[in-house]
Amino acid sequence: MDCRTAATLLQPCFDGELDEGTAATVRAHVAGCADCSREMAALQALREGMKRALPRYAAPQSLRDRIHASAAEPAAAPAVPAPAKRRSLPRWVAMAASLLLVASLSVGVTRSLMGPNVGATSTELLLHDLVSSHLRALAATNSVDVPSSDRHTVRPWFAGRVEVSPPALDLSSQGFELLGGRVDYVGGRRVAVLVYKHGQHVVDLYVLPDDATGAATNAGEASAPLMRQGLNLIRRRVGGLQVWAVSDLDPQEMAALGEVLARAP
Amino acid sequence: MNPPFRDESQAPSSDKAGRIERLILPHLDAAYNLARWLARSDQDAADIVHEAFLRAVRYADSFEGGNARAWWLAIVRTTYLTWVAKTSGARSPLSLEEVMTSGDGDLPADGGRSPEELAHWSQCASMLTELVEALPAGFREIILLREMEELSYREIADLLEVPVGTVMSRLARAREMLKRAWAARQGR
């Protein structure tokens, strides 16, 4: 690993955000590089300095009392000055979706987003999750946690990391080259994502349990893919699982991918 | 794993307030700490957290279990942003433009310090508080969420509603600014 590559990975390594293999490579480089080890020491010194020096402010008792008093009186909410402008529904739905995403982060919540009576909304929330996850992965420096073009390497990696293992799909003959896999949060669940490359386009395949939100509806089951924020999404059932493909491929190519998935064993 | 309040969605609003109070109480110090660091005033921080609580009660239905602290801190941060907009009439202090353009151009470059010199940091670290307070709010919040609240990149990304890549670059810049400001204070 050269210094330039190591430099971009130094902070993620320091923050414990890299997979073990990459982290070991970075640490090996740092051990033999004066510049990088000085940078690493600086990060450590900054962290320790902040831990030691920065005051952690505790909530005063008066605030606890105020909150308790507000909680006790039912008329609490109207006392808040009304917002100048009402949020429009889509904005609110997006916010609720991201709050849900945040809420479900560190715990493997096995609950679907909402009850079955709100199928349409929960499908929208699921689509929102899929689109955000795809865009976030594209923006990140590493969109895969386990880089490998070998499906027999990628599949076992998911064992114990997600509720349902992804199928070992071989799409290479259709021009979809496997880049690797990652774990992401969709609909409040930890799911496997298989990442493929098709020409210049990245295709994320999300493998969800069949009982996941959106499964009850026919969204994405139609022949034409759904479009959200310029991305195409298509859903297929593969071996008793729910697979969503998300990409900026054009609708025809997405539909063709849908055909391939539908024929997968 | 399932929080005990999960099936109370039909409860009247006063119960809802009590439920949210029980939910956020363990994280009240974290919320106050974040608000205090963002607003830099005891009175304002208390007002912000109180208003955030009322807001949390209104958004109660959006919480479905899981990481209550991240959900609650996101509400505190949003409340802070609204509060700033209301009190100053200015645009959001955490807007990307400010974050991208706020300069460290007049700060001297970090000329490369030895680990021994850097170990010196922790001995005279009290100055760090001042330096962190002087950071633009967008950088201040990100380094606090990482170093004080110890949230992961993904948790921060979801809290701030930005991509993980943005979290990484903003955090790197915040650290760089602190290091340079520190070097400047050392009389370099």
Side-chain angles (χ1 to χ4, degrees):
Chain A
M1 178 175 290
D2 60 73
C3 244
R4 185 184 285 263
T5 314
T8 62
L9 294 176
L10 227 45
Q11 295 210 15
C13 181
F14 177 69
D15 289 320
E17 296 277 345
L18 297 178
D19 66 89
E20 206 29 63
T22 315
T25 318
V26 174
R27 281 194 294 266
H29 169 84
V30 169
C33 172
D35 283 349
C36 288
S37 71
R38 187 165 52 222
E39 181 59 27
M40 212 58 154
L43 290 171
Q44 188 59 39
L46 180 60
R47 173 164 293 169
E48 280 167 13
M50 285 183 74
K51 275 219 163 68
R52 205 168 307 188
L54 262 48
R56 187 174 270 281
Y57 301 100
Q61 187 58 41
S62 58
L63 173 62
R64 290 176 189 273
D65 294 344
R66 272 166 78 185
I67 286 181
H68 189 69
S70 299
E73 66 180 79
V80 188
K85 195 175 61 170
R86 242 188 137 74
R87 278 180 192 283
S88 63
L89 183 67
R91 179 84 194 277
W92 184 88
V93 169
M95 180 171 176
S98 61
L99 286 177
L100 282 167
L101 196 65
V102 168
S104 61
L105 270 171
S106 67
V107 184
V109 183
T110 53
R111 222 175 150 223
S112 61
L113 283 173
M114 288 182 178
N117 55 332
V118 282
T121 316
S122 61
T123 300
E124 275 311 313
L125 290 177
L126 177 73
L127 294 176
H128 174 86
D129 276 6
L130 290 168
V131 167
S132 323
S133 161
H134 180 78
L135 293 175
R136 203 166 50 210
L138 286 183
T141 46
N142 45 342
S143 63
V144 292
D145 297 329
V146 48
S148 171
S149 58
D150 180 0
R151 62 203 165 100
H152 300 298
T153 302
V154 173
R155 194 165 181 265
W157 179 84
F158 283 111
R161 288 185 162 90
V162 291
E163 283 176 56
V164 292
S165 287
L169 292 169
D170 183 4
L171 305 174
S172 54
S173 58
Q174 282 82 25
F176 292 90
E177 178 202 344
L178 183 62
L179 295 180
R182 71 169 187 276
V183 172
D184 224 319
Y185 292 88
V186 172
R189 308 174 89 134
R190 215 186 245 276
V191 304
V193 188
L194 297 170
V195 185
Y196 293 87
K197 197 171 180 156
H198 185 71
Q200 292 304 307
H201 306 276
V202 173
V203 182
D204 279 339
L205 280 192
Y206 294 83
V207 183
L208 279 65
D210 209 23
D211 63 339
T213 312
T217 71
N218 288 325
E221 206 73 278
S223 55
L226 297 168
M227 187 167 231
R228 292 290 181 281
Q229 296 182 37
L231 295 170
N232 284 301
L233 298 96
I234 197 160
R235 182 170 87 93
R236 286 292 177 270
R237 291 198 51 177
V238 179
L241 298 169
Q242 193 188 165
V243 174
W244 282 92
V246 183
S247 177
D248 59 349
L249 283 175
D250 68 47
Q252 286 80 13
E253 285 179 298
M254 279 301 268
L257 173 62
E259 292 294 304
V260 175
L261 289 176
R263 285 199 307 271
Chain B
M1 182 180 298
N2 285 316
F5 47 80
R6 51 174 286 197
D7 287 319
E8 291 175 16
S9 51
Q10 302 305 316
S13 62
S14 56
D15 284 5
K16 193 185 279 181
R19 175 163 69 90
I20 294 298
E21 186 192 6
R22 287 192 295 279
L23 182 68
I24 62 121
L25 221 49
H27 313 292
L28 192 61
D29 282 339
Y32 182 78
N33 186 51
L34 178 65
R36 175 64 181 72
W37 273 102
L38 287 173
R40 289 177 287 199
S41 138
D42 290 332
Q43 187 53 48
D44 292 343
D47 287 348
I48 288 166
V49 174
H50 185 212
E51 193 169 324
F53 168 72
L54 300 172
R55 201 183 268 252
V57 174
R58 285 208 301 276
Y59 291 143
D61 295 336
S62 73
F63 183 71
E64 286 271 321
N67 192 339
R69 191 172 65 131
W71 176 80
W72 163 235
L73 289 182
I75 294 175
V76 171
R77 175 179 179 268
T78 309
T79 310
Y80 164 72
L81 293 179
T82 325
W83 175 84
V84 170
K86 216 161 35 186
T87 52
S88 68
R91 67 191 167 81
S92 157
L94 307 180
S95 77
L96 204 56
E97 298 90 287
E98 189 198 330
V99 167
M100 298 319 286
T101 55
S102 59
D104 50 1
D106 48 356
L107 293 172
D110 178 6
R113 307 173 72 84
S114 72
E116 295 74 41
E117 279 178 284
L118 290 163
H120 184 62
W121 280 32
S122 39
Q123 273 134 46
C124 40
S126 59
M127 206 180 277
L128 264 180
T129 305
E130 213 178 302
L131 297 178
V132 171
E133 283 194 333
L135 282 178
F139 292 111
R140 196 161 67 234
E141 70 170 354
I142 204 156
I143 201 152
L144 290 170
L145 291 172
R146 177 61 214 146
E147 300 291 8
M148 277 190 120
E149 299 304 327
E150 298 182 354
L151 298 183
S152 71
Y153 288 180
R154 198 181 292 273
E155 286 172 312
I156 297 173
D158 285 317
L159 202 152
L160 306 185
E161 296 186 298
V162 298
V164 170
T166 307
V167 171
M168 290 167 66
S169 55
R170 212 178 281 181
L171 183 60
R173 245 173 98 74
R175 283 170 166 157
E176 190 57 33
M177 289 168 81
L178 272 181
K179 273 160 51 191
R180 290 187 185 190
W182 183 266
R185 288 293 181 93
Q186 299 293 88
R188 289 177 62 91

